[in-house]
Amino acid sequence: QAVEELAKEGAIGIIGPLLSATVVTASRKAQEIKIPLISLSQKSGIAEIGDFVFKNALTPKNQVNQLVDYAVNSKKITKFGILYPSNSYGSGFSKLFNEAVQASGGKVVFQKAYAHSDLRRSKATKEIGSFSSFDGGGVVEGMEKKFSVPSGVQALFIPDSYKAVRYVVMSVHADSTKLPSSVVFMGINRWNNPGLV
């Protein structure tokens, strides 16, 4: 409907939508009425809908392939770990990352899922008034989830938002006593926020 309304208003092209849930329908309508549409969604296969549909976003597969290529060929990393949220988003990225690492000749030596409900304060932490995992604090004592990563991991991939990553990385450092300081933390486009620091 929005595509039709924009065309009636005289739009010569459309940029959007952002959401994967709406991009297929909007793209099909744009192709049908022959108005150029540039999708900003990460959904794969959108540009194949027709010659009036274009894409300007990295797919999860693009992101993972570029990341693994950089790690293996530029940084000479061969042993990877993955900490990922136990939802379809995290599982999808984890699967793609495993495939890319295997294709590059590297090896995933550690893999663990976590629920977002794990990223909250324990009762003990609440009682002493420490920070919530998502409000910018700086310690992890008393948190309910620990992430002990084995010492052989050279790079750790965390496909999650910057809010969750802040907590996960602090927990990894707090609970992985043998993890070398040279470990590389790797992420996705959802890390691109000043709040990560």
Side-chain angles (χ1 to χ4, degrees), residues 92-134:
F93 265 105
S94 175
K95 181 178 182 287
L96 289 170
F97 194 82
N98 265 302
E99 291 168 358
V101 167
Q102 187 175 8
S104 75
K107 187 174 182 182
V108 174
V109 296
F110 169 78
Q111 187 168 336
K112 187 173 185 178
Y114 58 87
H116 277 143
S117 59
D118 292 330
L119 307 181
R120 63 178 187 266
R121 293 181 290 176
S122 67
K123 289 179 184 175
T125 309
K126 287 176 185 174
E127 287 170 9
I128 62 170
S130 187
F131 76 101
S132 141
S133 60
F134 293 139

Side-chain angles (χ1 to χ4, degrees), residues 25-26 31 38 42 46 53 58-59 62-63 65-66 71 78 81 83 89 94 101 111 114 121 157 159 192:
T25 306
Q31 180 63 32
I38 301 171
Q42 291 186 349
I46 295 304
V53 180
L58 286 173
T59 65
N62 294 142
Q63 289 185 63
N65 287 343
Q66 291 293 321
T78 58
L83 273 173
Y89 189 84
S94 175
V101 167
Q111 187 168 336
Y114 58 87
R121 293 181 290 176
F157 177 59
N192 187 21

